[in-house]
Amino acid sequence: MNRNIDRRHFMALMGAGAAAPLLARHASAAAPLTMQAAWINDAEFTGYFTAIDNGYYKDEGLDLTYLSGGPDLIPESSIIAGKADLALTTPDTTIKAIVDQGAKFKIIGAQYQKNPHGIISLAKNPIHSPKELVGKTLAVPPVNVISVEVMLRANGIEPSQVNIVPYAYDPTPLIKGEIDASLDFTTNVPFTIKQQSAEAVSFLLYDFGYTIFNDAIVVTDDTLAAKRKELVAWLKASRKGWEENLRDPSVYPPKFADTWFKGTGRSIENEVYFNTAQKPLIESPKGILSLTEDSIAKTIDALSKAGIKARRDMFDTTLLEEV
Amino acid sequence: MADAVDGSLADGGRRGWAIRHWAGLRNGVVILVVWEFLGRFGLVAGGALPAPSAILARFWLDRGDYPEHVVATLWGASAGFLIGNAIAVLAGMLFVLSPVASRLSRGINIAIFSVPSIAISPILVLTLSGMAPRIVLAAISCYFVTMTATVIGLTQIDQRTADVIRAYGGGRWKVMRLVRLRSAMPVILGGLQVAAPNAVLGAILAEFGGGGRWGLGNYLLGSLGRADPARLWGIGLVATAIAGLAYLVFALISQRVTGASRAVTVTTSVPPLRAAGGDNTVAKVLLVAGSIALPLILWWVFVKALGVPELIARTPYGVFEHLFLLDSSPAARAKLLQALAQTLPITLVGMAAGLAAAFLLAVSSRLYPGVTRAFMPIALFTQTMPLIATIPLLVLLLGRGWSVTLWITISVTFFPAFITLAQGISMVPRAALDVPRAYGASAWKEMRLVSIPASLPYLFAATRLTVPRALLGVMIAEWLATGKGLGNLLNQSRGYLDYGMIWTVATVSVLVSIAFYQLVVVAERRVLGRLGMQTAE
């Protein structure tokens, strides 16, 4: 008897959870599509917020549901479980899942042509290159340790030569000098450090051999087959949103102060800084969200150094060609 | 007549209340002033400890952000509280009515009691969506406390009232409805009192990891990147206030209800609940096997009923396969064993340290009540403040080695153990205390010769409480500060999309907790049996 009550509640809750985001949006004849973001609402996703608020998805016949992310949330899990149609992911974990677990994923685009992850240190104790990390204490979120180890090895450094400790997304230990450097988005943390009247220096992993893009746009093979038209429409509307947003990176974040960015605990100045800093990492001569042959080759090459065997057929550039 | 007695007691009680609260207030003010001084002049960890006034100022600036987060947290916590406690009370009634059900559910109960919340949170986020992970974690955090309280409440009845019902031909159900439930109300309410803050903390933990926009956990996560300790402490203190308020509300309700349904005489012994299966060995073995199988069956049903794809979800067999049958199994086992080798020793040390701290505090609370009273506000605070908000401070003060792990472990273990021990020491029969007093023994001698040995059952009960929390504390420290052991393996497996390992770490951490718990139970039965003492709940 207990179990039945238990299950019924679960089911009811599942239903409520799934319906809540839909109710918030006006029901329409448009094709439903759900995207899973990689992190909480911050400037990293401004292009999508712009496209939603300006009706670009609706213009393409889409009814988009946007799901925020968080530290325990694995974006790939949402598309495997069918909670979302597409997810923004870190390509190393996605490709590792294809190789190791036989996950049926395709990467159909990339938001960051250059991965914003970098090593951040204080200007008064600066670290400008991987070599200078030897003997230092570096805080890395446990999920990103693999990327850092690859970058270190690519520069002839054994990971054991660096004291790697967990990073809990709070720069206080860096500012107070408890750690020498941290791995974080270079588009974001230097702002916080400046706010605390310190100066930051940083370098991108990308510029030291870890040449992967980031925020890969990932779908399952099934979704690709069933919703190809919608995915192309999504790419088109998203590109338009990003172009509009990056035209002047200081325009859109303030508009979202009381909507998308409300209550995130971050400041709008921070989002403007982030949005401005990410512009050169996102823009591409082939158009925003592009997957160029060059970037695919570089990603495959970088991952092979990590022992992850990426292949060209894990990427599908044909949807972008239709945009 | 009863009124008169009550009246005079209440009068004395009120004066005692005033004195106690005056001391509490005075100590609170002293702590605040010292804290303000330390924070103002940046004396702790280079200013990583914010002054109360700075926290308040920050809170005022952020006041517009709070309402929606607080509402979301309250929503998740309340739904979990209602569901978890409803199941707990029903389960408690079932266990009292049917000893067989009680025996069969032992495995589930211990598993729910000992599951480290940080190990189960990623699993819930994987398998459920929307508000569900928060509600389930809040419900799980409530279940054991209330279930135990219900069982104790329903069994500690005045046998004479039950006899009256039986004499008039009433069955088990009639006794349950007319006697047991009524007399159990105060104890159940006491359980709810402890369950309420648990639900709040459970909901916040699941918010922290699980995506979504609203909830204090989400707010905390967004604020971490701002390097603003005043904000983090503000959120932590609001969480503390909600948990404390929830506790107070049920304390008040409990006081009202208890006033109306207090038994005329108090029963002195707990009727044994161990008759199920009798002396039949086959039945006993079947019951034990059933109690081990039931959690596994429920786990299997949970995964299958939710229809979570196989790639993400693991059944018990899936975890076994991950560890023993696949090509990758030797590597997985090696990783797991390495993590266990790092986690287990420090867990044992942390457990001992937590118990020792609780024991010292309990003893000193008897010898020097003033010291304990001064310490109480800080102790309560450490129980409800989300640890993540204080991690930067702890890391700056203690580094990232053994000391920070020990500190976190002691801070999550000592409090429930202290409460249990203090209760044990206070329940030593007066008559036993009069002997050493009559011979002019010192307070310490009296403690050593009478109170401590007499409260041995409570020491064991405290140890049982401490075991699973010690593992939780170590895993939190590993996850946030040291980057070693099971806590780190769990977090890192997420980055590798290694679902098999996520489920394995969750399973192994529950199994380790259960194993420790059972060891204590066995030792407890042996020792107390030899001394002719009864187990304390």
Side-chain angles (χ1 to χ4, degrees):
Chain A
M1 187 192 84
N2 267 339
R3 204 194 66 218
N4 280 336
I5 288 175
D6 222 15
R7 239 193 79 189
R8 218 165 37 232
H9 276 295
F10 278 144
M11 291 310 182
L13 293 168
M14 294 270 296
L22 294 174
L23 288 174
R25 212 152 288 289
H26 296 291
S28 68
L33 196 77
T34 302
M35 70 174 285
Q36 173 68 60
W39 196 243
I40 59 169
N41 291 4
D42 61 15
E44 184 177 350
F45 313 105
T46 324
Y48 310 108
F49 301 149
T50 306
I52 293 171
D53 281 13
N54 288 0
Y56 299 160
Y57 293 110
K58 206 180 276 170
D59 295 345
E60 295 294 329
L62 290 182
D63 178 15
L64 185 76
T65 302
Y66 179 94
L67 303 178
S68 314
D72 277 344
L73 196 133
I74 310 171
E76 287 92 337
S77 307
S78 293
I79 55 174
I80 299 172
K83 293 178 200 168
D85 297 301
L86 68 92
L88 302 175
T89 74
T90 37
D92 37 359
T93 62
T94 304
I95 289 170
K96 202 166 155 41
I98 302 177
V99 177
D100 290 354
Q101 331 227 7
K104 296 191 167 25
F105 294 145
K106 284 279 186 298
I107 297 175
I108 61 166
Q111 178 183 321
Y112 288 115
Q113 303 300 319
K114 271 177 123 176
N115 190 336
H117 270 124
I119 304 294
I120 297 157
S121 54
L122 295 183
K124 62 178 181 192
N125 178 23
I127 293 171
H128 298 288
S129 71
K131 291 255 185 288
E132 294 168 36
L133 278 169
V134 172
K136 296 287 172 66
T137 298
L138 170 66
V140 182
V143 294
N144 299 110
V145 168
I146 187 172
S147 316
V148 171
E149 289 182 349
V150 171
M151 183 275 294
L152 290 173
R153 287 212 180 88
N155 290 278
I157 299 160
E158 266 308 301
S160 60
Q161 292 175 276
V162 180
N163 179 25
I164 296 179
V165 297
Y167 181 55
Y169 308 106
D170 186 339
T172 304
L174 176 63
I175 295 167
K176 302 287 181 199
E178 193 261 332
I179 53 173
D180 301 304
S182 65
L183 177 89
D184 206 324
F185 268 31
T186 52
T187 47
N188 188 25
V189 179
F191 174 83
T192 310
I193 293 173
K194 203 176 280 173
Q195 291 278 295
Q196 303 290 323
S197 11
E199 211 51 54
V201 296
S202 64
F203 66 84
L204 289 173
L205 299 188
Y206 191 96
D207 293 334
F208 285 88
Y210 199 58
T211 50
I212 68 167
F213 53 74
N214 199 21
D215 284 12
I217 298 154
V218 180
V219 297
T220 61
D221 288 353
D222 291 343
T223 306
L224 185 57
K227 295 194 167 178
R228 188 180 176 91
K229 194 166 68 72
E230 287 86 344
L231 292 172
V232 172
W234 183 87
L235 284 168
K236 200 170 167 187
S238 300
R239 175 178 286 177
K240 196 172 168 194
W242 273 113
E243 281 168 351
E244 171 66 16
N245 165 48
L246 291 180
R247 212 183 301 283
D248 179 351
S250 63
V251 170
Y252 277 92
K255 292 189 181 184
F256 304 144
D258 287 322
T259 54
W260 296 104
F261 295 146
K262 185 172 165 54
T264 56
R266 299 161 50 84
S267 69
I268 292 304
E269 302 81 69
N270 192 350
E271 306 303 0
V272 169
Y273 178 95
F274 192 154
N275 203 24
T276 310
Q278 70 184 350
K279 185 174 173 172
L281 305 179
I282 289 176
E283 285 180 334
S284 160
K286 296 280 175 98
I288 291 172
L289 305 184
S290 282
L291 265 184
T292 62
E293 288 305 328
D294 178 51
S295 73
I296 294 174
K298 277 182 175 159
T299 297
I300 292 177
D301 177 50
L303 289 178
S304 75
K305 292 176 198 158
I308 303 172
K309 295 186 193 69
R311 293 186 315 272
R312 176 63 183 79
D313 65 8
M314 295 170 181
F315 305 84
D316 187 339
T317 55
T318 60
L319 288 90
L320 281 161
E321 284 156 18
E322 288 176 41
V323 171
Chain B
M1 190 198 79
D3 274 350
V5 173
D6 261 17
S8 70
L9 273 178
D11 204 39
R14 211 170 292 145
R15 200 176 318 134
W17 187 89
I19 292 169
R20 256 181 289 132
H21 282 251
W22 162 241
L25 197 70
R26 184 197 59 204
N27 294 336
V29 169
V30 169
I31 289 171
L32 270 181
V33 169
V34 172
W35 181 1
E36 177 71 31
F37 178 77
L38 293 175
R40 236 343 92 191
F41 297 99
L43 297 178
V44 178
L49 176 71
S53 59
I55 298 172
L56 216 64
R58 185 74 241 180
F59 177 78
W60 182 249
L61 288 175
D62 296 334
R63 65 191 185 279
D65 283 346
Y66 276 96
E68 279 165 289
H69 291 303
V70 170
V71 166
T73 296
L74 281 179
W75 203 97
S78 318
F81 180 80
L82 286 176
I83 295 170
N85 287 317
I87 295 174
V89 171
L90 289 175
M93 286 167 63
L94 177 72
F95 298 156
V96 171
L97 286 173
S98 156
V100 174
S102 163
R103 281 290 197 81
L104 273 178
S105 308
R106 196 177 145 76
I108 294 174
N109 287 333
I110 297 176
I112 291 181
F113 170 66
S114 38
V115 60
S117 40
I118 71 158
I120 199 79
S121 174
I123 297 281
L124 293 173
V125 172
L126 274 181
T127 48
L128 305 168
S129 55
M131 289 293 277
R134 309 172 179 196
I135 295 172
V136 174
L137 201 59
I140 287 177
S141 314
C142 295
Y143 170 81
F144 190 82
V145 176
T146 308
M147 187 276 294
T148 320
T150 309
V151 170
I152 293 175
L154 292 177
T155 44
Q156 283 182 331
I157 53 164
D158 189 339
Q159 289 298 337
R160 289 167 299 181
T161 27
D163 290 342
V164 172
I165 306 284
R166 291 201 193 96
Y168 281 93
R172 271 200 290 191
W173 176 240
K174 269 266 162 65
V175 175
M176 170 65 79
R177 204 160 53 88
L178 296 174
V179 179
R180 292 189 190 274
L181 273 177
R182 286 180 191 203
S183 79
M185 269 327 266
V187 189
I188 295 178
L189 281 168
L192 295 182
Q193 204 174 326
V194 181
N198 284 359
V200 176
L201 289 176
I204 290 178
L205 183 72
E207 285 163 10
F208 184 80
R213 286 193 58 190
W214 304 109
L216 289 173
N218 298 98
Y219 194 35
L220 194 58
L221 176 63
S223 302
L224 277 179
R226 291 182 48 89
D228 184 353
R231 162 81 68 72
L232 300 182
W233 280 72
I235 300 171
L237 288 174
V238 168
T240 304
I242 295 176
L245 223 69
Y247 182 88
L248 267 181
V249 166
F250 281 91
L252 282 177
I253 297 176
S254 160
Q255 245 174 18
R256 294 245 158 144
V257 173
T258 313
S261 65
R262 196 180 294 144
V264 183
T265 50
V266 181
T267 48
T268 49
S269 70
V270 186
L273 240 189
R274 306 218 154 91
D279 293 327
N280 187 337
T281 323
V282 179
K284 264 187 191 164
V285 170
L286 276 178
L287 277 174
V288 170
S291 83
I292 295 170
L294 209 54
L296 299 175
I297 294 170
L298 269 189
W299 170 3
W300 190 85
V301 168
F302 174 80
V303 167
K304 292 291 166 193
L306 289 173
V308 187
E310 264 175 54
L311 189 61
I312 298 179
R314 290 291 184 281
T315 57
Y317 173 75
V319 168
F320 179 78
E321 189 187 30
H322 176 78
L323 277 181
F324 297 104
L325 302 180
L326 301 177
D327 292 340
S328 58
S329 294
R333 278 204 307 273
K335 259 202 258 180
L336 183 68
L337 286 177
Q338 194 200 354
L340 275 172
Q342 289 169 338
T343 300
L344 290 185
I346 187 87
T347 304
L348 288 171
V349 176
M351 204 165 77
L355 267 178
F359 186 76
L360 286 178
L361 196 63
V363 170
S364 73
S365 79
R366 187 62 182 278
L367 298 178
Y368 318 101
V371 176
T372 320
R373 227 171 284 143
F375 183 72
M376 271 334 253
I378 304 177
L380 274 169
F381 174 73
T382 60
Q383 294 312 294
T384 43
M385 180 87 172
L387 264 171
I388 180 109
T390 55
I391 280 290
L393 179 69
L394 290 178
V395 161
L396 285 165
L397 287 176
L398 301 167
R400 293 175 188 268
W402 277 56
S403 49
V404 77
T405 311
L406 270 185
W407 175 263
I408 292 174
T409 311
I410 292 172
S411 85
V412 303
T413 51
F414 85 92
F415 193 72
F418 161 68
I419 296 285
T420 313
L421 284 170
Q423 192 190 357
I425 290 176
S426 74
M427 276 165 68
V428 173
R430 297 289 136 201
L433 293 176
D434 287 342
V435 179
R437 278 184 195 152
Y439 282 94
S442 67
W444 167 240
K445 197 155 201 179
E446 172 230 293
M447 269 320 287
R448 194 164 57 84
L449 292 177
V450 179
S451 296
I452 293 174
S455 51
L456 201 59
Y458 289 86
L459 181 63
F460 276 110
T463 314
R464 267 187 279 138
L465 276 175
T466 309
V467 169
R469 294 184 70 94
L471 184 63
L472 172 68
V474 171
M475 285 179 73
I476 291 176
E478 288 171 340
W479 167 43
L480 295 170
T482 67
K484 294 192 166 65
L486 280 181
N488 192 59
L489 182 60
L490 181 67
N491 205 345
Q492 208 158 45
S493 305
R494 196 177 68 79
Y496 297 157
L497 251 71
D498 191 346
Y499 295 109
M501 191 54 103
I502 295 175
W503 287 83
T504 302
V505 173
T507 312
V508 167
S509 58
V510 176
L511 289 179
V512 166
S513 271
I514 293 178
F516 277 147
Y517 181 89
Q518 285 295 0
L519 276 176
V520 179
V521 168
V522 169
E524 180 179 21
R525 285 203 188 136
R526 288 250 169 112
V527 173
L528 295 186
R530 196 175 304 157
L531 296 174
M533 287 171 140
Q534 271 213 336
T535 10
E537 289 300 333

